Amino acid sequence: MPVLGLGMWRLREGKQARDAVRLALQHGYRLFDSASYYRNERSLGQAIRESGVPRGEVVVTTKLWNSDHGYEAALRAFRRSQERLGLGPVDLYLIHWPVQGRRKDSWRALETLHEEGEVRSIGVSNYMVHHMEELLAHAEVVPAVNQIELHPFSYRSRRATVELCRQNDIAVEAYSPLTKGRRLGDARVEAVATACGKTPAQVLIRWGLQHGFVEIPKSSHPARIHENADVFGFELSREHMETLDGLDEALSTSWDPTRQP
Ligand code: NDP
């Protein structure tokens, strides 16, 4: 699994999404995070097909939306996503949100797709400790990935979930790693960035990589797509990591699954 990918929420279907994917491929991104809810699967598939990058080098992710839960409904939703992508088997298919009462049946559908070879890896998103424990108690296939909101401003509050994933060899994928831009101007992040000669965005991505998370920053701007991938030639010191680890304020920038039963 590549450790850096392009987040695709709010990349518009059509030229904007295609250009972002094409550029990201040129800058070395090999992981793409879409979802049926994002409505840009067609553009993702097209850009990959036209890129000349061997299909086997790219990890394509899409997700099951909340209104498509249930065994049969999930199978049908997957087929629609697969058709829109037009890339053959999907590399990673995630349950987008732990919809109460229906998520177990949906997981069975993902297991079927995995068994049939339609999906290479299956996983979940927004699963907190109680959702993970429930899933692990009935799953025949352990999820490969749990995608959750993770950045220094939510790190401590998500730690128990991260630990549980680690204990079960489940990769932790960090969504909204740049806090959707909301904390890029934080003085403490800026101070670390200045000390390293890097940008705040690069510092947040590097922080996640050093914690072993898969980072999926989103941008539609060429210079930022490049900037966000230029994070492998420096290292944050232990002191800087500790400073960033201490910034937790239980920040959720979109939806917070903590209280989802
Ligand atoms: P991010 O934390 O990746 O931040 C994206 C925002 O930051 C955009 O407004 C972008 O603007 C801006 N930005 C990007 N790079 C830079 C930079 N170098 N300097 C300054 N600003 C920058 O937010 P997302 O919420 O998009 O999260 C990333 C991905 O995670 C999503 O795209 C999606 O794939 C996934 N996700 C999954 C969720 C889930 O429930 N499973 C929920 C939320 C996200 P611009 O585009 O104009 O550059």
Side-chain angles (χ1 to χ4, degrees):
M1 176 104 171
V3 294
L4 180 79
L6 182 74
M8 293 193 63
W9 167 233
R10 289 194 189 284
L11 283 177
R12 273 190 310 281
E13 178 90 296
K15 186 171 165 16
Q16 189 186 54
R18 281 200 312 274
D19 284 354
V21 171
R22 188 175 38 78
L23 226 104
L25 284 165
Q26 284 166 12
H27 288 301
Y29 290 72
R30 289 296 180 267
L31 169 67
F32 294 88
D33 187 71
S34 185
S36 62
Y37 186 66
Y38 303 170
R39 297 183 186 279
N40 52 26
E41 293 165 309
R42 279 183 209 284
S43 304
L44 171 58
Q46 188 183 343
I48 289 173
R49 284 194 306 276
E50 290 173 358
S51 70
V53 175
R55 173 67 186 93
E57 282 184 18
V58 185
V59 175
V60 170
T61 311
T62 191
K63 313 189 190 83
L64 176 77
W65 184 238
N66 299 352
S67 52
D68 294 322
H69 273 255
Y71 185 79
E72 293 297 337
L75 292 178
R76 282 195 301 273
F78 171 78
R79 305 263 177 241
R80 290 195 297 272
S81 281
Q82 190 180 33
E83 198 188 302
R84 286 190 291 263
L85 284 163
L87 295 167
V90 170
D91 302 295
L92 180 60
Y93 195 47
L94 306 181
I95 292 185
H96 208 142
W97 177 263
V99 171
Q100 191 187 10
R102 301 176 72 200
R103 57 187 179 242
K104 284 190 189 177
D105 288 339
S106 301
W107 186 254
R108 274 201 306 118
L110 267 61
E111 288 177 329
T112 299
L113 293 165
H114 182 252
E115 198 180 303
E116 290 173 349
E118 301 290 350
V119 181
R120 297 206 171 87
S121 301
I122 54 176
V124 293
S125 177
N126 293 300
Y127 273 50
M128 300 290 100
V129 168
H130 59 291
H131 308 119
M132 289 304 294
E133 284 174 342
E134 174 200 89
L135 176 61
L136 292 169
H138 70 80
E140 285 181 20
V141 179
V142 173
V145 166
N146 185 14
Q147 184 183 111
I148 56 176
E149 177 162 354
L150 260 180
H151 38 64
F153 302 90
S154 68
Y155 174 58
R156 294 232 159 105
S157 14
R158 295 291 162 88
R159 214 152 166 184
T161 304
V162 169
E163 286 309 316
L164 183 62
C165 290
R166 294 232 157 103
Q167 284 157 16
N168 289 280
D169 280 331
I170 298 166
V172 177
E173 219 179 2
Y175 79 63
S176 306
L178 307 178
T179 66
K180 286 192 163 57
R182 289 183 202 167
R183 294 289 181 279
L184 289 177
D186 182 279
R188 296 156 299 181
V189 175
E190 280 185 337
V192 174
T194 305
C196 300
K198 292 287 167 183
T199 65
Q202 289 171 323
V203 163
L204 292 189
I205 295 166
R206 184 69 212 177
W207 171 88
L209 293 176
Q210 287 184 213
H211 271 298
F213 307 142
V214 176
E215 299 283 296
I216 48 167
K218 174 263 175 186
S219 181
S220 54
H221 286 88
R224 288 175 174 176
I225 290 173
H226 178 54
E227 175 188 327
N228 295 346
D230 184 15
V231 287
F232 296 100
F234 77 108
E235 197 158 16
L236 296 170
S237 66
R238 207 170 75 184
E239 215 176 31
H240 285 151
M241 287 297 284
E242 281 169 8
T243 301
L244 297 166
D245 287 352
L247 300 185
D248 187 50
E249 48 176 273
L251 176 67
S252 262
T253 59
S254 34
W255 44 0
D256 182 359
T258 318
R259 290 198 180 77
Q260 168 73 11

